[in-house]
Amino acid sequence: MNLEKLTCHEIHNLLKSKEITSLEVTSAVISRIEAKEPDVHAYITTTFDEALEQARIADKEISRGKELSPLTGIPIAIKDNMCTKGIKTTCGSKMLHNFIPPYDAFVIQRLKEAGAIIIGKTNMDEFAMGSSTENSYFGPTRNPWNLNTVPGGSSGGSAAAVAANEAILALGSDTGGSIRQPAALCGVVGFKPTYGRVSRFGLIAFASSLDQIGPITKDVTDCALLLNVICGYDPHDSTSVNRPIPDFTKSLINDISGIKIGIPDEYFIEGVDPEIRHSVEKTISAMEDLGAIRVRVSLPHTEYSVPTYYLIAPAEASSNLARYDGVQYGLRIQKEGLVDMYSHTRTQGFGNEVKRRIMIGTYALSAGYYDAYYLKALKVRTLIKQDFDEAFKKCDVLITPTSPTPAFKIGSKVSDPLSMYLSDIFTISGNLAGIPGVSIPCGQTQDGLPIGLQILAPLFGEERLLQTAYTIEQNINC
Ligand code: GLN
């Protein structure tokens, strides 16, 4: 049996019936990582020794008859922007290339309590800025489906690790699409929860009003299991929402009859790859066959989502990244004067895309331009949110493509930031509105590259998303 190919829930059952051990699963994943990493490069850091030790502990507990949590003994990969105590956390940047956090992020604490095994830290675009994982200081990750193409980004390492069976589960973060878009390009499930559902404590900040952590998994069931562990109130994050968390596995219901699916006009436009359009439309028809009701809706401010995001996200980033001054932690380039030390540290520590964002953000926030750019973007953000409020009066969920294109060639967009920014045209609005979204696999192109379908729901509509995603997964052979 190739244990690394199984899902978390399959492994859980085999652990419970004592047919396999966590040590066997962990060893299988490690061998797979060793075999695939020269090609894929999904990881920045691996933690094999600690993982094997944890696996032995899990096995001892299992043999003593301790009640197993669904994640006990399961290897998980963590995007390298979540703080792991004692384990390097680089954020894909030279600035933090040797940063070892003294504490665990909230989600890491939760995973440890659940008995999950951290197998390594995954590659990402520097400070989560990008859509291809090419902006990593540590070099690009390659898409396991075709090594000449990108895995998407910025959580490209996590998505590639799951797709290549180099991890059973993974965590990513999504500020403008960074969980959903790489999940789509790698043919796996990627879920961005409602803003505030998952604590951002210990997540290295990019754009704090948009950032959200979520699962990247092989199927929808695993996604629900991981959500059960990471969601919940945390007083250490002032934007964490204090609201009861349902058991998400209860939403794995194979039924979408009567559910109203909204199809936004603005998401099925010229420029969307025809094969993607075809696959998504085919799936929508199949959903109708299962009893879903198709409703046409409009999100009229969609065309402003990319420019709005590219003012708000850089503005927040310019403020968040001010802390990397060579004094408190991370890289320091020693120089005579303080100002020289600051400027050399930041010049050498940040890559081009990060510098570009800091400059855009600082400009948009500066006196004289604040009202014209930043404040205006905030107003448009409200209009975008209102579009969703109106649409959700007519439907329960929205169905769209996740990404306008399948995985593109490595190097093909790096020198054209605008075309890279357009990769997130269908995912960014969800972050601006704070609503949850999931990308699930929806067929392949003729070249054999995965296609992703996005489902969006109103705030705190995770259960609806899971039910819809699960029903599609169980019934529709896209
Ligand atoms: N690709 C988008 C960006 O570059 C989104 C990134 C993200 O969600 N972290 O900002």
Side-chain angles (χ1 to χ4, degrees), residues 256-261 284-294:
I256 50 168
S257 52
I259 176 174
K260 290 198 187 120
I261 51 171
I284 294 169
S285 305
M287 290 176 79
E288 287 184 286
D289 295 342
L290 293 168
I293 302 153
R294 179 187 188 124

Side-chain angles (χ1 to χ4, degrees), residues 51-380:
L52 290 168
E53 182 55 30
Q54 290 304 313
R56 284 190 196 97
I57 294 172
D59 285 334
K60 249 185 227 149
E61 288 180 356
I62 297 169
S63 67
R64 278 199 212 112
K66 190 175 162 196
E67 174 99 40
L68 283 190
S69 107
L71 262 61
T72 301
I74 310 282
I76 181 165
I78 310 291
K79 186 177 183 180
D80 210 18
N81 60 352
M82 294 171 220
C83 287
T84 39
K85 187 176 176 176
I87 301 171
K88 223 167 45 176
T89 300
T90 69
C91 224
S93 182
K94 181 175 179 186
M95 186 61 90
L96 293 174
H97 73 283
N98 57 4
F99 171 60
I100 299 182
Y103 70 100
D104 277 328
F106 174 86
V107 289
I108 303 297
Q109 293 168 17
R110 281 285 185 90
L111 286 171
K112 286 183 175 171
E113 283 158 22
I117 294 179
I118 293 166
I119 194 84
K121 306 291 297 287
T122 55
N123 199 14
M124 55 182 283
D125 287 299
E126 185 178 7
F127 284 98
M129 297 174 189
S131 307
S132 67
T133 317
E134 290 166 293
N135 293 338
S136 168
Y137 170 65
F138 301 91
T141 295
R142 291 171 184 275
N143 192 319
W145 292 75
N146 176 340
L147 297 173
N148 294 322
T149 66
V150 302
S154 63
S155 313
S158 286
V162 173
N165 297 311
E166 291 185 57
I168 307 300
L169 304 165
L171 283 186
S173 69
D174 193 312
T175 304
S178 277
I179 290 175
R180 291 161 286 162
Q181 185 259 12
L185 270 48
C186 289
V188 293
V189 176
F191 197 109
K192 181 199 94 71
T194 304
Y195 182 78
R197 266 288 197 209
V198 182
S199 167
R200 291 181 295 108
F201 177 73
L203 170 69
I204 297 177
F206 162 14
S208 310
S209 78
L210 301 160
D211 299 341
Q212 193 61 193
I213 295 172
I216 297 180
T217 57
K218 295 177 186 175
D219 71 2
V220 179
T221 303
D222 278 6
C223 185
L225 290 171
L226 193 43
L227 282 173
N228 273 352
V229 173
I230 62 171
C231 290
Y233 177 61
D234 174 17
H236 291 112
D237 171 1
S238 61
T239 59
S240 164
V241 177
N242 194 351
R243 187 184 168 111
I245 303 295
D247 174 356
F248 289 112
T249 59
K250 296 240 162 74
S251 306
L252 301 171
I253 301 166
N254 188 348
D255 181 13
I256 50 168
S257 52
I259 176 174
K260 290 198 187 120
I261 51 171
I263 315 300
D265 288 342
E266 294 78 4
Y267 283 57
F268 292 81
I269 43 167
E270 284 300 305
V272 179
D273 182 286
E275 290 187 87
I276 292 185
R277 216 164 138 162
H278 177 72
S279 279
V280 173
E281 269 164 6
K282 226 173 79 193
T283 307
I284 294 169
S285 305
M287 290 176 79
E288 287 184 286
D289 295 342
L290 293 168
I293 302 153
R294 179 187 188 124
V295 188
R296 196 170 155 185
V297 296
S298 171
L299 299 166
H301 295 92
T302 299
E303 62 175 305
Y304 304 111
S305 65
V306 172
T308 302
Y309 172 87
Y310 278 97
L311 285 165
I312 293 175
E316 294 185 20
S318 71
S319 161
N320 276 325
L321 271 59
R323 73 190 65 172
Y324 304 105
D325 55 7
V327 176
Q328 303 169 71
Y329 36 67
L331 184 77
R332 170 188 294 201
I333 304 297
Q334 205 64 56
K335 288 283 160 189
E336 269 303 302
L338 184 66
V339 173
D340 260 9
M341 191 277 283
Y342 284 162
S343 88
H344 279 83
T345 299
R346 289 170 69 82
T347 302
Q348 292 185 34
F350 292 134
N352 285 345
E353 185 59 29
V354 175
K355 285 179 187 153
R356 185 178 294 126
R357 306 271 180 121
I358 292 173
M359 286 190 275
I360 295 173
T362 308
Y363 181 81
L365 288 175
S366 58
Y369 296 107
Y370 183 95
D371 288 2
Y373 295 112
Y374 181 66
L375 199 62
K376 189 156 188 184
L378 290 184
K379 290 177 182 167
V380 180

